[in-house]
Amino acid sequence: MYEAVAAARNALDDKWGAMNVRDRAAALYKVAAAIEARFDCFVAAEVADTGKPVALASRVDIPRAAANFRTFADLIKLAGIESFQTDTADGRTALNYAVRKPLGVVGVITPWNLPLLLLTWKVAPAMACGNTVVVKPSEETPATATLLADAMKDAGIPDGVYNVVHGFGEGSAGEFLSTHPGVDALTFTGESRTGAAIMAAAAPTVKPVSFELGGKNAAIVFADCDFEETADGLADAVFLNTGQVCLSAERIYVEHSIFEKIVDALKRRAEALTSTLGPLISKEHREKVLGYYRLAREEGACVVTGGGVPQFGDKRDGGWYVEPTILTGLAESARCVKEEIFGPVCHIAPFHDEAQAIAMANDTKYGLAASVWTSNLKRGHRVAHQMKAGITWVNCWFLRDLRTPFGGAGLSGIGREGGMHSLNFYSELNNICVKL
Ligand code: NAD
Ligand code: 6OH
């Protein structure tokens, strides 16, 4: 750890921090190209670590890693600076302008669900702003962060700009990075509880933090939705990556007149997915998800489909699979409706009017994402404006534009990343005031 932070500090003082924006952006485009040149290796490594389907890693995880570098290379080239001509009450005039400097050495701590996607979502803007980084990927998924170091070398990134430290969280690499006095800022994606521990660890050295944390996201479905598009969209929102996406919908509120129809459509999709969904990340995580499946029954849920472990009759029976699961009938106060499960499971409840749907959706300590499904766009906008969520999708889910603000309210995070929000977090803005 000490060597990694020292290497990052040297690279900052030496080459990277002083490099002009054109050259830095050019280097980041090369990193994107180097990821693509090793595309199959990255896919294989992500699949080996997570068990996710090759098709998913090829469509989502690895392309987004390259896109993250291109986006922030584009943005840093185009980013302007704030300037103001100032006229004071006593007749003086001045020009104020801000300059963008790196924060320094940035510690990056990331989870296992979308390992390279989430790591590069932070590394790319941090490097674009001239910082050097020490990354601590999840102990469950170390491979692609290491491969990225090879891609950095291929791209000619100077030694010490990108450093990888492997290890666990508490009492290990994650904690050492969070408390290290040579780390100037921390950016973290993971569970809300871990965010709280990192914030406490960072407090004595007053490090800026950016946190993307958990969610218990709601989808609101109105009777006038495009039915097939909505059912397909919801199936993605609940089951993509075996439900291990912070943005996944675990609570679905459906206008009562189409409640049965939606439950049935989602049940059919869940059952069709049983043989194609990947496993969960680990034995421990499967125990957690199966614990919630049991708890749901104890809390009085009706298990519409799933609720257990699938039997394939082949080698997959040794993996950490669970059945895609649909629950109904729980009270809104049930733990399965309140707590993030992070598996292929949702609870579906009926609502009678818009105000009730909004109130139920917002009754959560989290506030990451929401989705609204309706063909009445006026209502779509109106409801979206009232969601307690960093992002609300209307008639879609996980449709990303990397320039937009991304982050969560409440327990779901601190700050926003994406576009200029990332560039501003990863920069120290210095204002200069010149009397004219
Ligand atoms: P986690 O919080 O257990 O671990 C994330 C990372 O933090 C790992 O690298 C881990 O080693 C490290 N860590 C753990 N304890 C630490 C400590 N005390 N100090 C420093 N580092 C520590 O999360 P996870 O289980 O890997 O991922 C799943 C969680 O991440 C879910 O809650 C999910 O919602 C959340 N998540 C959020 C987003 C988002 O953008 N909001 C994205 C992906 C995942
Ligand atoms: C959480 O699992 C997914 C987070 C997604 C992003 O951070 C992103 O930029 O798309």
Side-chain angles (χ1 to χ4, degrees):
M1 178 64 67
Y2 285 91
E3 284 165 26
V5 175
R9 177 69 53 198
N10 285 338
L12 183 74
D13 297 340
D14 181 17
K15 288 210 187 77
W16 189 253
M19 190 183 276
N20 72 42
V21 166
R22 263 172 69 112
D23 294 345
R24 233 190 280 138
L28 295 186
Y29 291 125
K30 287 190 188 152
V31 176
I35 293 171
E36 284 162 351
R38 292 168 175 263
F39 191 87
D40 293 344
C41 280
F42 275 106
V43 168
E46 209 70 300
V47 168
D49 271 354
T50 59
K52 68 177 75 193
V54 169
L56 183 61
S58 307
R59 180 168 62 85
V60 176
D61 298 72
I62 310 308
R64 250 302 291 279
N68 287 339
F69 282 100
R70 289 212 173 89
T71 297
F72 289 106
D74 286 345
L75 279 169
I76 196 69
K77 280 197 309 184
L78 297 176
I81 50 171
E82 280 181 278
S83 71
F84 298 93
Q85 182 173 319
T86 309
D87 298 306
T88 66
D90 61 2
R92 288 180 299 168
T93 300
L95 174 67
N96 277 280
Y97 65 97
V99 291
R100 188 179 286 287
K101 295 201 183 140
L103 285 171
V105 176
V106 176
V108 180
I109 303 177
T110 48
W112 45 257
N113 59 327
L114 301 167
L116 190 68
L117 185 161
L118 293 171
L119 182 116
T120 54
W121 173 240
K122 291 171 175 298
V123 168
M127 283 175 58
C129 294
N131 301 285
T132 57
V133 298
V134 178
V135 307
K136 207 300 279 174
S138 167
E139 56 276 20
E140 302 281 1
T141 54
T144 47
T146 305
L147 268 182
L148 184 60
D150 295 337
M152 295 275 178
K153 239 190 172 27
D154 297 347
I157 301 297
D159 286 349
V161 173
Y162 173 81
N163 306 277
V164 189
V165 177
H166 291 295
F168 296 87
E170 194 179 351
S172 178
E175 187 175 326
F176 300 155
L177 191 57
S178 318
T179 50
H180 197 298
V183 171
D184 299 296
L186 285 170
T187 180
F188 167 72
T189 300
E191 273 192 41
S192 302
R193 252 198 330 258
T194 314
I198 292 178
M199 203 167 173
T205 44
V206 199
K207 298 187 206 313
V209 294
S210 177
F211 286 169
E212 294 178 357
L213 309 176
K216 185 73 182 177
N217 310 300
I220 300 182
V221 183
F222 289 97
D224 66 0
C225 67
D226 177 321
F227 191 85
E228 290 303 315
E229 194 182 274
T230 300
D232 288 343
L234 291 175
D236 247 5
V238 177
F239 300 122
L240 188 89
N241 206 37
T242 317
Q244 301 166 117
V245 180
C246 57
L247 309 160
S248 292
E250 292 194 2
R251 297 181 293 140
I252 301 184
Y253 298 104
V254 183
E255 193 162 0
H256 66 99
S257 58
I258 62 161
F259 176 73
E260 297 296 343
K261 218 173 134 198
I262 283 282
V263 171
D264 188 55
L266 214 55
K267 173 178 188 283
R268 276 186 279 113
R269 283 163 176 78
E271 287 167 1
L273 280 169
T274 306
S275 59
T276 56
L277 277 192
L280 294 171
I281 187 71
S282 63
K283 184 169 187 276
E284 294 69 32
H285 190 52
R286 183 165 79 163
E287 274 162 19
K288 176 182 158 186
V289 172
L290 289 176
Y292 277 106
Y293 286 6
R294 279 192 298 276
L295 176 65
R297 288 189 175 93
E298 286 161 28
E299 290 187 309
C302 161
V303 180
V304 174
T305 186
V309 172
Q311 294 303 316
F312 298 107
D314 56 32
K315 279 199 299 200
R316 285 176 294 172
D317 288 338
W320 314 126
Y321 291 87
V322 292
E323 287 175 327
T325 295
I326 296 173
L327 309 169
T328 57
L330 285 170
E332 282 299 295
S333 57
R335 282 182 55 202
C336 289
V337 179
K338 287 283 168 268
E339 298 174 13
E340 181 185 53
I341 301 174
F342 222 58
V345 53
C346 68
H347 179 251
I348 314 184
F351 69 83
H352 287 273
D353 61 44
E354 190 177 305
Q356 185 196 14
I358 293 167
M360 291 198 291
N362 285 344
D363 185 13
T364 170
K365 291 197 166 83
Y366 291 103
L368 189 58
S371 58
V372 183
W373 305 82
T374 175
S375 44
N376 176 349
L377 275 186
K378 211 166 159 184
R379 172 156 62 193
H381 286 283
R382 184 171 67 230
V383 174
H385 279 248
Q386 294 173 80
M387 287 293 99
K388 178 188 162 196
I391 183 162
T392 299
W393 281 288
V394 179
N395 296 328
C396 56
W397 175 79
F398 205 3
L399 197 168
R400 294 278 287 115
D401 181 323
L402 306 187
R403 298 168 297 184
T404 58
F406 184 91
L411 279 187
S412 292
I414 296 182
R416 293 292 180 272
E417 297 198 38
M420 289 306 297
H421 302 275
S422 295
L423 298 189
N424 288 339
F425 175 74
Y426 294 107
S427 300
E428 200 72 82
L429 293 176
N430 292 177
N431 186 65
I432 295 171
C433 176
V434 183
K435 183 170 172 293
L436 297 178

